[in-house]
Amino acid sequence: VHIVRAGRAGHFHGWNARAVGRAVVRLGGGREVAEARVDHGVGAVALALPGDMVKPGDGLLEIHYRSPEHLGEALAEVEGAG
């Protein structure tokens, strides 16, 4: 599990759902082609909701993955998506 954390204090505005979805697909939790297998142990859990007040270091998104192989690419997808 990897936690995406707030970099600064303020009101959280929410996630770009498309970017989070792409990140999950990169980790194997979705399909890029119909024949691809889906790893049901991969996914994302929102820890902060739109309008929540957050401070630096607060958890915003919990990313579940099995292999760190594509974690960097997945994190790049969600960077700036929240």
Side-chain angles (χ1 to χ4, degrees):
V1 174
H2 179 87
I3 306 291
V4 177
R5 300 192 178 277
R8 62 178 189 262
H11 285 94
F12 182 64
H13 294 282
W15 289 105
N16 176 323
R18 185 178 306 258
V20 173
R22 283 192 307 258
V24 170
V25 168
R26 286 191 186 279
L27 293 169
R31 293 186 176 110
E32 291 186 15
V33 294
E35 299 80 24
R37 299 181 79 190
V38 174
D39 183 343
H40 297 284
V42 172
V45 177
L47 301 176
L49 300 175
D52 284 354
M53 186 63 145
V54 298
K55 25 184 214 310
D58 282 355
L60 302 176
L61 185 71
E62 186 177 274
I63 299 176
H64 295 257
Y65 62 96
R66 293 204 193 268
S67 169
E69 181 180 354
H70 298 288
L71 182 59
E73 296 169 16
L75 293 175
E77 288 282 358
V78 297
E79 188 176 291

